[in-house]
Amino acid sequence: MPIFCQGRTWGSSNLHLTEMGRCYLATLIKIFCEKVLIRDNVIAETVAHRSNSSTDRDDLVNRLEGLEDRLATLERQSNRTGT
């Protein structure tokens, strides 16, 4: 079954642009706007997540440095006592 109107031997297209053109156009505009708005939300969430990740990373680095300092202090104390 051909998909063009030129090669049709019978029947007609179900796409009635003259009657439903505004409705089709409104649907396309709605889909486009939703796509743009969703993309904007996704980008905003990604940026927020990245900023939280960098803050979390900084917190982890600070905790690690603190633990390393405590470990070095404990090692020095154990070396002094000889145990």
Side-chain angles (χ1 to χ4, degrees):
M1 178 173 176
I3 59 170
F4 321 41
C5 290
Q6 298 166 343
R8 287 183 180 267
T9 55
W10 60 275
S12 63
S13 172
N14 288 329
L15 183 66
H16 304 288
L17 286 177
T18 55
E19 298 170 13
M20 298 291 292
R22 286 184 183 162
C23 184
Y24 294 145
L25 181 62
T27 302
L28 289 174
I29 291 171
K30 179 182 173 186
I31 290 171
F32 176 76
C33 290
E34 286 178 356
K35 178 181 174 184
V36 169
L37 292 174
I38 288 172
R39 184 183 313 146
D40 186 45
N41 287 343
V42 168
I43 290 171
E45 288 176 7
T46 303
V47 168
H49 178 69
R50 285 184 183 163
S51 67
N52 286 342
S53 294
S54 65
T55 304
D56 292 342
R57 190 176 317 123
D58 293 341
D59 291 341
L60 288 174
V61 167
N62 290 336
R63 287 178 61 193
L64 180 60
E65 289 172 353
L67 289 173
E68 288 173 344
D69 291 342
R70 286 177 58 193
L71 181 61
T73 303
L74 290 173
E75 286 177 347
R76 282 193 301 261
Q77 287 176 357
S78 70
N79 287 339
R80 285 184 199 157
T81 59
T83 54

